[in-house]
Amino acid sequence: MTTLDTQTAQRLHSLGIQPGSQLTVVRKYPFHGPVIITVDQQKIGIRYAIFQALLGGQ
């Protein structure tokens, strides 16, 4: 989360995504489209670039 800008990090924090949160990938759309994840029993759609930043750039 340190690689994200402060506004994005604050928005993710307000959605319940914090360092150490358990993320489950529900769906990855092709061509670097959005990624649907589940956090604390709620589904959230995030951009592929933000998803990569949450994974640590893998």
Side-chain angles (χ1 to χ4, degrees), residues 17-39:
I17 300 174
Q18 303 170 15
S21 294
Q22 179 83 18
L23 301 178
T24 305
V25 176
V26 175
R27 171 131 170 124
K28 288 173 74 174
Y29 287 90
F31 307 112
H32 299 288
V35 179
I36 309 299
I37 59 172
T38 302
V39 179

Side-chain angles (χ1 to χ4, degrees), residues 8-54:
T8 303
Q10 287 175 352
R11 181 161 295 163
L12 291 175
H13 180 72
S14 68
L15 291 171
I17 300 174
Q18 303 170 15
S21 294
Q22 179 83 18
L23 301 178
T24 305
V25 176
V26 175
R27 171 131 170 124
K28 288 173 74 174
Y29 287 90
F31 307 112
H32 299 288
V35 179
I36 309 299
I37 59 172
T38 302
V39 179
D40 295 332
Q41 300 177 349
Q42 67 178 352
K43 291 182 181 177
I44 302 169
I46 59 174
R47 293 181 189 180
Y48 183 79
I50 294 172
F51 175 71
Q52 288 295 96
L54 290 176

